[in-house]
Amino acid sequence: MSRLPKIERFKNEVESKYQIFNGIFMTLPFDQISNTGGLLPLFHELCVSGYEKGKNPTEIVQYFFERYMRDTEEKERETMLFKFIQYIERQVVLFDAIEDAAFSKVNNLDGRGTLRSIKEEAVELDKTEELAAYLKEFKVRPVLTAHPTQFYPGAVLGILNDLGQAIKANQIQEVKLLLSQLGKTPFFNKEKPTPFDEAISLIWYLENVFYNAMGNIYDYLKTHIENPEEFKNQIVEIGFWPGGDRDGNPFVTTDITLDVAKRLRATLFRNYYRDVRKLRRRLTFKGVEEQLAVIESMCYKAIFETEVLDFTPEDLIHKLTSIRTLVFQDHNSLFLDQIDSFIHKVELFGFHFATLDIRQDSSAHDTVFDEILAFSKVQLPSNYNDLSEKEKINVLSQVEGSVDPNEYNDEYTQRTLSSIYAIKNIQERNGEKGCNRYIISNTQMASHIMEVYAMLRLCNMTQPKIDVVPLFETVPDLVNAPAVMRSLYENENYRSHVQRRGDTQNIMLGFSDGTKDGGYLMANWAIYKAKEALTSVSREFGISIVFFDGRGGPPARGGGQTHQFYASMGTKIEAKHIQLTIQGQTISSKFGTLESCQYNLEQMISSGVSNAVYASDANDFSPSDQATMDQLADTSYKAYTDFKAHPQFLSYLEKMSTLKYYAKTNIGSRPSKRAGSAELRFKDLRAIPFVGSWSQLKQNVPGFYGVGTALETMDKAGNWEQAQSLYKNNKFFRTLLDNSMMSLTKSFFGLTAYMEHDAVYGSFWRLIYEEYERSKKYMLMISGMNSLMENELAGRASIQARENIVLPLLTIQQYALKMVQDIQAQKESKNMETYERMVTRSLYGNINASRNSA
């Protein structure tokens, strides 16, 4: 029997089941207002029909009250809206659980982009040797971050997991019980989580999902690759930011960093202990069982020990290899595959489980060096701050001495220096891979990098086993990045450091802040060109570059279709590693279950193979296509920067969106702004609340603004054939537009159409809407599609289903925002707190429903 198309599988396994289980959920009596479940569908119907008739959110809500709650007091009406919010939040969880449960049926786990398809394609193209050679040096590293885009507390995540299992097993009674539990479980934190709390939440995914998914991938490759005995490459690594990311987060302390590293190791040994216990149930043979008992005891003790262990990963592998040899020789190779699988996990995870990165903003290091200059015994020129950039680099590369964090009164300096000593401590206990990167946000010049390199050596690391990683974010900094790295490579001392690090330089590129600064098209193109230029200058010095992409969930922050993005890089960009941040809902939606995690990790591996082994130079830009791309990006950049410079840009966000409410949600430990000033300044805005606020408005500006203007300009100048040629010839450009179409698909201007008539912001709203219509028109025109995301019907159906669920929630949010604005205009305080709380509460469901909205 032939397999149904993906869209049909989605309808059968997700949409249909949601209708069934949602019907059950709506009848469950989990609140004190018995008719909530009955009224919500009626309210939803009014929202759909109301927007079709051009009604605004306030009119829709008030009509609902008049029709169904005419004889009720205002307090009861407000309570009903809060109950609707609670119901819709849980409907989103139900949809998540159903979609997760259907993952293996909707997606072909042996289809395109999986390890099996990689192998089959290599055989078909007679490239098995090339594939094997590439996989022996290629690596992927997803880096889990605690950026606040995931609103589900731990208890809800647990229910979500159990609900998915019950739905998959078709256990109706269990589903009903879990839905009832869900109805009684709080959806938000009363207090902000600490960075350690965030780390614990994400370690759950390492322990329960990544550990087995990564192990399965490594097992497969060791079994199916050519000459498997020669395959020693730990192809999948995992990075970790909670507890180490200090950029803008004053709550990350050295003690928390050390505690997170300890928890990572303890959790890993808990997994090792479980695996050894499973082996002991099978390997009950003479001479084997006794050796396993020793390993079990070692792993059990290591769970609780916090100091340096008296054995290494190599020691553990040696003991397991001895057991393997004995089983092979004397016991008919029984359960040999299970021994191999455990050995593979130790090879993958060592004693560290995940690599903890340290990150701090360059401005913090400037402050530290001012302190060192003023109070330390370190020999720095008294006129250090007046030196030229080249002179600073020379001084920093040769500075000698030793600093003690306790010598300084400034808390910032103490924390920064002690974080470096913490790296050394973690390496001693968890191994070098436990913590070996220091990332510098907002890197603008070479001295920002050399300051960190100097601090490492001043903290008693003469030859630091640490990668100093610049993070280039804004468009000007991306343009200047190659010159910055050249000046470092030309410095003898820094070049020697890179040589000791395997002639490898890690560089991070920030999509989120790049888009916020330069708009969607220019940010992506500036990063692409920076990668080409950085690859060229690094190869000139014999250095292999590793790009680490700071990608958020939505297209506006570098997200979208990850496989297509990395498969389109071309030969001029170093691509032996794929590293990217994974955050918020993207962790739970793409890596939340064993099946989805393994599938998406395989997709990442496949994208690298597709670009490097199968595509060859087919993805490189021709000179004419590059000129077209330059022209489009420049036009888009001007349109976006003009828009950003609009006198109403910041005030619109501040007064008409949910921007200020993000700080009230208690979803993350990090402040929502970089500075503590009362005045809203663009440079202080973090990318997550910035992009998220546009998403809550259903306008998604950072994901498309400027694209329509750029394409229209080409058309009106008579150069449309050039744009069409670029779209036809270049996979990178097609991927950009595909991802931007996702942003357009998630937009709904009917929600805020009332703003068109606002006395202050009417023209500004029209400016956004016109660019949306322009972008939609020209993207459909260049792609030849009749509707957005026509080439990804199942993905579009998922988005539409989620948007439909939260339509009443969005309506309530806009109604509450309008009430707040009206109360402020009348200078009254009546019910202000109630409506502000309503706005804040509505954020949770809206964000979670999108799964990649911030």
Side-chain angles (χ1 to χ4, degrees):
M1 182 176 177
S2 61
R3 188 176 175 89
L4 289 172
K6 187 174 181 179
I7 181 61
E8 294 301 322
R9 301 197 301 270
F10 179 85
K11 289 178 179 179
N12 292 341
E13 299 296 331
V14 180
E15 286 186 349
S16 296
K17 285 189 176 181
Y18 174 75
Q19 295 302 326
I20 294 169
F21 287 116
N22 185 52
I24 295 173
F25 171 68
M26 297 298 280
T27 62
L28 293 175
F30 66 77
D31 64 28
Q32 296 175 346
I33 301 178
S34 58
N35 62 343
T36 306
L39 288 176
L40 180 54
L42 299 174
F43 180 57
H44 183 278
E45 185 180 330
L46 287 180
C47 291
V48 174
S49 61
Y51 290 120
E52 287 176 352
K53 296 174 183 176
K55 302 293 184 181
N56 64 50
T58 302
E59 290 172 331
I60 291 171
V61 172
Q62 289 177 345
Y63 179 69
F64 169 78
F65 288 151
E66 284 298 309
R67 185 169 180 179
Y68 297 108
M69 300 183 69
R70 178 174 297 178
D71 299 324
T72 56
E73 299 291 331
E74 185 175 3
K75 184 67 177 176
E76 188 175 346
R77 294 180 177 189
E78 292 167 356
T79 301
M80 180 58 74
L81 293 180
F82 277 110
K83 288 297 181 182
F84 283 169
I85 291 172
Q86 291 176 323
Y87 263 78
I88 296 165
E89 285 173 340
R90 288 153 179 81
Q91 286 178 315
V92 172
V93 174
L94 174 60
F95 191 87
D96 283 349
I98 292 170
E99 199 165 37
D100 288 345
F103 189 87
S104 60
K105 294 182 179 180
V106 174
N107 298 279
N108 185 356
L109 300 188
D110 290 320
R112 186 179 181 185
T114 62
L115 291 179
R116 180 175 175 176
S117 74
I118 292 172
K119 182 185 176 185
E120 290 175 350
E121 191 169 1
V123 172
E124 185 178 336
L125 297 174
D126 194 25
K127 289 193 172 186
T128 53
E129 290 185 5
E130 292 96 324
L131 174 63
Y134 182 70
L135 290 178
K136 286 174 184 176
E137 58 182 11
F138 176 63
K139 290 183 185 292
V140 298
R141 181 189 291 191
V143 179
L144 307 187
T145 80
H147 290 349
T149 60
Q150 175 55 268
F151 287 70
Y152 293 145
V156 175
L157 286 172
I159 297 171
L160 176 61
N161 180 72
D162 295 342
L163 193 56
Q165 296 300 321
I167 290 169
K168 186 182 291 188
N170 218 22
Q171 298 170 332
I172 304 298
Q173 190 58 36
E174 182 69 11
V175 170
K176 288 180 70 174
L177 286 171
L178 289 167
L179 288 175
S180 296
Q181 180 189 358
L182 191 66
K184 293 286 188 180
T185 304
F187 261 57
F188 57 96
N189 301 309
K190 291 184 179 180
E191 297 179 357
K192 276 186 175 291
T194 67
F196 188 72
D197 294 333
E198 293 170 332
I200 296 301
S201 296
L202 293 190
I203 287 173
W204 184 92
Y205 289 100
L206 295 181
E207 179 178 7
N208 295 285
V209 182
F210 281 93
Y211 180 78
N212 292 307
M214 291 167 63
N216 290 344
I217 289 172
Y218 198 51
D219 289 346
Y220 183 93
L221 290 173
K222 292 282 280 190
T223 305
H224 291 86
I225 197 171
E226 295 285 319
N227 303 315
E229 66 280 354
E230 298 177 8
F231 187 77
K232 302 294 184 183
N233 176 35
Q234 292 81 47
I235 192 167
V236 184
E237 303 171 328
I238 192 81
F240 205 75
W241 271 18
D245 182 9
R246 287 162 162 72
D247 179 16
N249 194 338
F251 307 112
V252 178
T253 65
T254 302
D255 286 341
I256 284 178
T257 301
L258 294 172
D259 287 343
V260 169
K262 292 173 187 175
R263 179 59 70 96
L264 284 167
R265 187 178 73 166
T267 304
L268 176 62
F269 273 105
R270 187 159 61 233
N271 281 24
Y272 284 169
Y273 176 74
R274 291 172 185 148
D275 280 358
V276 177
R277 295 278 293 177
K278 291 175 185 175
L279 282 176
R280 288 193 67 186
R281 289 177 65 87
R282 296 290 171 263
L283 301 177
T284 52
F285 319 135
K286 183 178 179 181
V288 175
E289 202 276 338
E290 297 84 351
Q291 293 187 57
L292 280 175
V294 172
I295 294 175
E296 179 186 336
S297 177
M298 291 166 58
C299 291
Y300 183 79
K301 290 179 181 178
I303 294 173
F304 305 102
E305 290 184 13
T306 58
E307 302 307 318
V308 178
L309 299 174
D310 59 1
F311 65 104
T312 66
E314 291 72 27
D315 294 333
L316 181 54
I317 291 172
H318 177 73
K319 290 180 181 294
L320 290 168
T321 304
S322 297
I323 291 172
R324 186 190 190 282
T325 301
L326 189 59
V327 170
F328 175 77
Q329 292 176 344
D330 300 344
H331 301 291
N332 306 107
S333 298
L334 284 171
F335 308 113
L336 208 63
D337 59 333
Q338 294 185 29
I339 303 172
D340 287 341
S341 184
F342 187 28
I343 292 173
H344 296 162
K345 288 188 175 75
V346 179
E347 290 176 351
L348 279 174
F349 300 114
F351 287 175
H352 63 284
F353 210 166
T355 299
L356 185 63
D357 287 338
I358 305 297
R359 184 171 78 130
Q360 182 56 284
D361 191 89
S362 61
S363 60
H365 304 139
D366 291 338
T367 302
V368 171
F369 262 81
D370 286 341
E371 285 289 306
I372 291 176
L373 187 64
F375 301 108
S376 178
K377 299 176 183 177
V378 175
Q379 297 300 311
L380 281 172
S382 58
N383 65 334
Y384 171 78
N385 287 324
D386 298 323
L387 297 177
S388 67
E389 181 69 1
K390 185 173 182 179
E391 290 170 333
K392 280 185 178 180
I393 292 171
N394 288 331
V395 167
L396 292 168
S397 69
Q398 301 176 54
V399 66
E400 295 182 355
S402 178
V403 294
D404 182 349
N406 297 318
E407 291 179 355
Y408 301 93
N409 296 322
D410 179 65
E411 183 181 2
Y412 222 62
T413 302
Q414 287 181 350
R415 284 189 173 195
T416 303
L417 295 176
S418 63
S419 70
I420 296 174
Y421 281 100
I423 297 175
K424 189 175 182 180
N425 183 304
I426 293 168
Q427 289 190 351
E428 290 172 351
R429 289 179 313 171
N430 294 17
E432 183 187 321
K433 285 189 175 181
C435 187
N436 61 8
R437 296 202 302 196
Y438 195 113
I439 301 166
I440 310 158
S441 299
N442 193 31
T443 300
Q444 297 176 326
M445 37 196 172
S447 58
H448 285 157
I449 303 167
M450 289 304 297
E451 283 177 346
V452 172
Y453 176 62
M455 282 193 292
L456 293 175
R457 291 181 298 108
L458 291 174
C459 291
N460 298 331
M461 299 184 194
T462 53
Q463 294 187 354
K465 296 180 179 180
I466 300 170
D467 296 313
V468 183
V469 185
L471 167 51
F472 300 105
E473 299 174 88
T474 67
V475 172
D477 291 341
L478 289 165
V479 172
N480 194 43
V484 168
M485 297 313 299
R486 177 179 293 278
S487 65
L488 289 175
Y489 296 155
E490 289 175 344
N491 180 273
E492 183 179 344
N493 289 300
Y494 188 80
R495 181 65 186 87
S496 296
H497 168 70
V498 174
Q499 186 175 34
R500 291 191 296 271
R501 300 300 296 160
D503 276 327
T504 300
Q505 172 68 52
N506 286 251
I507 294 179
M508 187 174 179
L509 302 168
F511 284 80
S512 298
D513 283 287
T515 304
K516 182 169 77 79
D517 174 64
Y520 177 73
L521 207 57
M522 174 54 90
N524 280 275
W525 182 231
I527 288 172
Y528 187 96
K529 291 204 297 184
K531 283 185 174 183
E532 281 194 340
L534 287 165
T535 298
S536 177
V537 71
S538 298
R539 287 174 177 173
E540 182 183 329
F541 285 86
I543 295 169
S544 177
I545 200 165
V546 173
F547 290 115
F548 174 24
D549 293 322
R551 294 162 62 88
R557 297 184 54 234
Q561 301 298 331
T562 303
H563 177 275
Q564 287 91 322
F565 176 82
Y566 285 108
S568 67
M569 288 293 101
T571 60
K572 297 178 182 178
I573 293 176
E574 196 73 69
K576 292 180 182 177
H577 291 242
I578 289 177
Q579 298 190 7
L580 71 159
T581 52
I582 308 289
Q583 55 194 259
Q585 309 99 307
T586 312
I587 296 174
S588 57
S589 64
K590 291 194 173 182
F591 302 91
T593 67
L594 178 59
E595 290 173 336
S596 64
C597 182
Q598 186 168 331
Y599 178 83
N600 282 295
L601 288 174
E602 289 185 21
Q603 292 288 315
M604 290 170 66
I605 295 172
S606 168
S607 66
V609 171
S610 177
N611 181 54
V613 180
Y614 301 147
S616 186
D617 60 354
N619 291 331
D620 291 342
F621 278 84
S622 68
S624 60
D625 283 344
Q626 180 160 342
T628 302
M629 190 70 210
D630 280 333
Q631 186 176 343
L632 286 168
D634 289 342
T635 306
S636 174
Y637 184 47
K638 184 180 186 307
Y640 180 79
T641 50
D642 287 348
F643 172 68
K644 195 173 64 173
H646 193 287
Q648 292 179 329
F649 181 86
L650 283 177
S651 64
Y652 179 82
L653 270 178
E654 191 170 27
K655 294 179 181 178
M656 306 299 281
S657 82
T658 59
L659 180 66
K660 69 178 182 180
Y661 295 93
Y662 271 81
K664 301 178 181 181
T665 53
N666 292 331
I667 55 169
S669 67
R670 196 168 64 164
S672 59
K673 290 198 304 180
R674 280 191 168 87
S677 61
E679 179 188 0
L680 182 63
R681 298 182 300 179
F682 184 80
K683 68 176 184 178
D684 297 332
L685 278 177
R686 289 198 171 280
I688 288 171
F690 175 74
V691 174
S693 296
W694 289 112
S695 174
Q696 294 281 321
L697 285 169
K698 289 298 156 188
Q699 295 175 359
N700 292 318
V701 161
F704 69 83
Y705 201 95
V707 179
T709 296
L711 291 172
E712 182 184 63
T713 302
M714 292 287 287
D715 183 29
K716 291 186 174 180
N719 298 322
W720 186 245
E721 288 186 2
Q722 296 174 18
Q724 285 185 312
S725 174
L726 174 63
Y727 184 83
K728 179 182 177 181
N729 297 335
N730 191 266
K731 185 185 290 186
F732 176 77
F733 184 60
R734 289 198 303 274
T735 300
L736 282 187
L737 294 196
D738 283 349
N739 285 342
S740 189
M741 284 189 196
M742 185 188 296
S743 292
L744 295 175
T745 303
K746 291 185 176 185
S747 300
F748 176 50
F749 279 80
L751 180 72
T752 57
Y754 70 91
M755 294 182 187
E756 183 177 9
H757 308 292
D758 187 271
V760 178
Y761 297 107
S763 60
F764 188 76
W765 183 93
R766 284 193 294 274
L767 188 68
I768 300 169
Y769 179 63
E770 287 166 3
E771 182 64 13
Y772 161 80
E773 287 290 341
R774 188 181 297 115
S775 298
K776 180 179 177 180
K777 170 188 172 182
Y778 277 97
M779 281 193 228
L780 290 176
M781 198 162 87
I782 198 170
S783 66
M785 297 181 195
N786 295 312
S787 58
L788 296 171
M789 295 183 69
E790 189 179 287
N791 58 338
E792 181 48 60
L793 294 177
R796 184 176 71 182
S798 177
I799 290 172
Q800 290 173 339
R802 290 174 176 278
E803 296 297 324
N804 183 55
I805 291 171
V806 298
L807 184 62
L809 196 60
L810 292 163
T811 303
I812 293 170
Q813 183 184 89
Q814 283 298 315
Y815 165 74
L817 278 170
K818 189 67 169 64
M819 293 298 289
V820 169
Q821 293 161 14
D822 290 346
I823 291 170
Q824 288 174 334
Q826 296 164 11
K827 297 182 179 179
E828 298 179 2
S829 59
K830 177 188 174 185
N831 290 346
M832 173 74 84
E833 183 179 343
T834 298
Y835 290 116
E836 288 195 323
R837 186 160 58 90
M838 198 176 288
V839 174
T840 303
R841 287 288 286 109
S842 66
L843 284 168
Y844 297 90
N846 287 334
I847 286 288
N848 285 325
S850 295
R851 280 202 160 184
N852 67 353
S853 61

